[in-house]
Amino acid sequence: MDIYWLFFWVLLAICVALYMYTRQVVNVVEDGNFLSFQKTYMVVYLLAMGGDWFQGPYVYALYQHYGMSSHQIDILFVAGFGSSMIFGTFVGSVLQILFFYLFVSGRRFNCVLYGILYILSCITKHFPHFTILLVGRFLGGIATSILYSAFESWLVCEHHKRGFSGDLLGILFSRATLGNSLTAISAGHIAQTFADRYGYVAPFDLSIVTLVMMIVAIMYTWNENYGDSQSTITMSFGKAAEAIKQDPKVLMLGLVQSLFEGAMYTFVLKWTPALSNSSSDKSIPHGLIFASFMVAVMIGSSVFKLLTKVRTIESFMRFVLLVAAMALAVPVVLPDHTNLVFMAFCVFEMCVGIFWPSLGTMRGSYVPEQVRSTVMNFFRIPLNLIVIVLLIQNLKIKVVFTCCVCFLLLATVCQHILHRFASKLPKKETSEAEDEKPMLEA
């Protein structure tokens, strides 16, 4: 266990040093209006992510506490990913369109809907009945799709509407990644304290309180903005499909998202057995390892800022994805070397910290404003399908990580193709496309 503490303190020292260095090197002109807008978004976003982080470490443990078999738990997890893949793809768009006609609501409503659905999902955790828990997983899967689409769509639209530059959007995404990691670490410690004192259901009650606070903050601080709300449901999906078909950059970006996140979510489910199997005593400090991963993500967010000063995102992400593939190849090639596997996992998490702000910034440049949420959810279909297939096959750990390496290598190829397309665009044309994005017809 001492080696894990050593890694943690080394990572923390690197994180602090990089953060301080980045503040000196990356000079960004930020006026009061942008800082106010950043605060308005970050408060809501971090509450939304906190509501998710409180639950994560205790879902499996709660199911075990209720006496669910391994097969039942697998079904519950597959149900969550399945509902995210099937219903999450269109529920947000359908409800946004429906409520636009009834109440003139848009993306802000979708973010509130995320909170409502997740609160209902948390309530089901109080009942030790498989059917009720299954309903909760369905609701949670839909909520997760909204979390990873509606909030970003609101942010990008509002950012462009207020006339802020594209560079500031990348900085905001980077800070959101940093804040999300700090939130995850804090939520993990708080949830652990409440779980030890009040039982495994307590973290889900904490999540409910956090999500209620988020809903209140949205209602009082966020403006409403719209995507394809005035279209019919068929038109909304038709426009999204047309955007993907007409612009190969959107297609490549979506494939990168699906392949990388498919590998990432599989990693989230499999890192524990991978480290346990390689450890001699089969006992690993889960909380400390998770904290180390989050610190590595924060390192990645600082590295992102530095990389954007010397290369374009489209260019350096090719190498980031390749490094991620090499990192997840370690448990395939050297499965019995615990320390090397753990170090490789930390490198992968650093790549995750670079990936999130990079992906958000590129989507802000290439994905048409009016259909952003729908396009993003389109590409969650293969993402969730990847995770579901790997879950239900009951594959060996080595085979699972081999698949993840293949996904990341394919993502690298797609990113290289995206880079080739982007490098053919004149800089002036690219900047003008960003400025006109809110006004584009989908």
Side-chain angles (χ1 to χ4, degrees):
M1 185 169 300
D2 292 340
I3 194 68
Y4 290 108
W5 276 110
L6 175 62
F7 283 150
F8 173 76
W9 289 115
V10 169
L11 287 170
L12 188 61
I14 294 173
C15 180
V16 173
L18 265 179
Y19 178 76
M20 299 303 294
Y21 177 73
T22 303
R23 285 177 62 89
Q24 297 176 355
V25 173
V26 182
N27 297 316
V28 181
V29 179
E30 301 171 288
D31 59 20
N33 290 332
F34 175 76
L35 293 175
S36 177
F37 170 66
Q38 175 182 265
K39 180 181 178 181
T40 299
Y41 174 73
M42 290 285 282
V43 168
V44 171
Y45 175 73
L46 295 182
L47 285 172
M49 295 305 302
D52 187 45
W53 284 121
F54 277 131
Q55 304 176 48
Y58 295 96
V59 176
Y60 198 100
L62 181 67
Y63 292 157
Q64 284 185 321
H65 176 70
Y66 283 156
M68 300 293 162
S69 66
S70 297
H71 178 65
Q72 287 177 313
I73 294 175
D74 286 343
I75 292 175
L76 289 169
F77 276 105
V78 169
F81 285 106
S83 68
S84 181
M85 178 181 70
I86 299 171
F87 298 106
T89 305
F90 60 84
V91 163
S93 297
V94 170
L95 288 176
Q96 182 174 325
I97 294 168
L98 173 63
F99 277 80
F100 176 82
Y101 287 115
L102 295 179
F103 305 110
V104 193
S105 297
R107 285 167 174 157
R108 185 180 72 159
F109 165 77
N110 267 4
C111 295
V112 171
L113 179 65
Y114 156 76
I116 294 172
L117 291 175
Y118 229 177
I119 287 172
L120 293 175
S121 176
C122 290
I123 292 174
T124 65
K125 300 300 189 294
H126 283 269
F127 302 93
H129 301 289
F130 180 78
T131 303
I132 297 177
L133 293 173
L134 189 64
V135 171
R137 290 299 299 174
F138 276 117
L139 295 173
I142 298 171
T144 301
S145 282
I146 297 175
L147 173 63
Y148 288 105
S149 59
F151 287 84
E152 180 182 314
S153 295
W154 182 91
L155 169 66
V156 174
C157 178
E158 201 68 21
H159 183 92
H160 289 307
K161 185 191 298 182
R162 301 189 185 199
F164 300 127
S165 70
D167 290 340
L168 289 178
L169 182 62
I171 293 297
L172 206 163
F173 276 124
S174 177
R175 290 172 179 171
T177 301
L178 177 65
N180 185 31
S181 300
L182 291 171
T183 300
I185 296 172
S186 302
H189 286 295
I190 296 171
Q192 180 71 61
T193 300
F194 274 76
D196 292 342
R197 185 169 300 181
Y198 303 110
Y200 287 132
V201 78
F204 298 93
D205 293 333
L206 279 174
S207 180
I208 291 174
V209 174
T210 304
L211 293 169
V212 169
M213 293 170 60
M214 180 209 73
I215 291 172
V216 173
I218 289 176
M219 298 304 294
Y220 280 94
T221 63
W222 278 25
N223 300 321
E224 187 60 278
N225 63 47
Y226 310 96
D228 51 1
S229 301
Q230 298 184 15
S231 302
T232 65
I233 296 171
T234 303
M235 289 174 61
S236 176
F237 284 93
K239 289 179 179 179
E242 192 66 21
I244 297 171
K245 180 180 178 181
Q246 288 186 346
D247 191 347
K249 296 187 295 300
V250 176
L251 175 60
M252 290 300 107
L253 189 60
L255 291 175
V256 169
Q257 171 191 328
S258 295
L259 292 165
F260 184 90
E261 292 186 15
M264 181 187 70
Y265 285 120
T266 304
F267 166 81
V268 168
L269 296 173
K270 296 299 182 180
W271 69 261
T272 296
L275 288 176
S276 297
N277 292 343
S278 64
S279 178
S280 58
D281 58 3
K282 305 299 180 183
S283 177
I284 58 174
H286 293 80
L288 182 60
I289 291 173
F290 177 76
S292 299
F293 287 166
M294 291 301 101
V295 173
V297 172
M298 289 191 285
I299 292 174
S301 70
S302 294
V303 172
F304 165 80
K305 295 179 184 178
L306 297 175
L307 289 175
T308 56
K309 302 300 291 183
V310 295
R311 305 196 73 160
T312 65
I313 295 175
E314 292 82 0
S315 177
F316 70 69
M317 273 306 299
R318 296 175 297 169
F319 305 103
V320 171
L321 293 170
L322 183 59
V323 169
M326 295 170 61
L328 291 194
V330 173
V332 178
V333 180
L334 302 169
D336 298 325
H337 293 71
T338 308
N339 295 343
L340 290 177
V341 172
F342 176 61
M343 291 175 63
F345 285 174
C346 289
V347 171
F348 176 75
E349 289 286 2
M350 184 187 72
C351 294
V352 172
I354 302 173
F355 172 80
W356 284 121
S358 298
L359 185 71
T361 305
M362 287 189 291
R363 280 195 299 233
S365 297
Y366 300 126
V367 181
E369 173 61 36
Q370 285 77 7
V371 291
R372 179 168 286 113
S373 292
T374 306
V375 168
M376 290 169 65
N377 280 323
F378 263 155
F379 288 106
R380 289 190 67 83
I381 296 176
L383 183 165
N384 286 289
L385 187 61
I386 287 171
V387 180
I388 290 172
V389 170
L390 292 179
L391 272 178
I392 63 178
Q393 292 298 317
N394 194 27
L395 301 171
K396 294 181 179 180
I397 295 296
K398 187 174 182 178
V399 176
V400 170
F401 279 99
T402 300
C403 292
C404 290
V405 171
C406 293
F407 298 151
L408 292 170
L409 290 176
L410 287 173
T412 304
V413 173
C414 292
Q415 182 64 44
H416 179 69
I417 295 172
L418 173 61
H419 169 65
R420 293 289 298 271
F421 281 120
S423 63
K424 295 177 182 179
L425 290 175
K427 291 184 178 181
K428 182 178 180 181
E429 179 182 337
T430 304
S431 62
E432 287 177 355
E434 291 183 14
D435 292 338
E436 295 174 4
K437 194 70 70 175
M439 299 180 287
L440 286 176
E441 290 292 331

